[in-house]
Amino acid sequence: MTTASIQRFDVGPRMSEMAVHNGVVYLAGQVAEDGSQDITGQTQQVLAAVDALLARAGSDKSKILRAQIFLVDLADFAAMNAVWEQWVVPGHTPPRATVQAALARPEWKIEVVVTAAV
């Protein structure tokens, strides 16, 4: 297997936003562009970013294999879930883990990592 079979998107010096290999899409952690919004607004932003990246790879949220959610404050769990439940495709909800974590910037309330099939 060669690295030529790996397709990378938005490659930077530290990381790529997304990689595709063997029919699987791996997203980098997605965070809100506007960190001034509350958890509802930030979750909406993050999920829109996930949608956009998956579309670029020829996939969509119905093909998510696994999601990992990092919340700064578990008090935001219910509000985040309200947005999540409106976003996921009924009957195609992926396996998911949600944990409390300190994020790289103090204004970020949520980070989401997704793996999906193409």
Side-chain angles (χ1 to χ4, degrees):
M1 185 169 309
T2 67
T3 56
S5 65
I6 301 171
Q7 184 180 12
R8 299 181 195 280
F9 295 74
D10 304 329
V11 178
R14 183 177 305 141
M15 60 180 241
S16 298
E17 278 299 317
M18 174 173 59
V20 180
H21 179 67
N22 282 345
V24 179
V25 180
Y26 302 89
L27 301 188
Q30 298 302 302
V31 294
E33 294 254 343
D34 179 0
S36 70
Q37 292 191 6
D38 65 6
I39 189 62
T40 297
Q42 287 198 28
T43 302
Q44 290 168 338
Q45 289 178 60
V46 167
L47 297 179
V50 168
D51 280 334
L53 285 167
L54 291 178
R56 286 179 63 198
S59 186
D60 63 63
K61 63 189 171 187
S62 73
K63 298 177 183 174
I64 294 175
L65 300 171
R66 178 176 74 168
Q68 297 168 297
I69 300 173
F70 302 92
L71 290 176
V72 170
D73 188 346
L74 288 179
D76 288 334
F77 188 68
M80 178 277 297
N81 272 328
V83 177
W84 175 268
E85 290 167 6
Q86 290 296 310
W87 178 75
V88 292
V89 178
H92 297 279
T93 51
R96 187 186 99 175
T98 304
V99 298
Q100 184 173 18
L103 300 182
R105 291 194 181 162
E107 67 269 22
W108 290 338
K109 298 179 182 305
I110 182 171
E111 184 168 353
V112 177
V113 179
V114 166
T115 304
V118 175

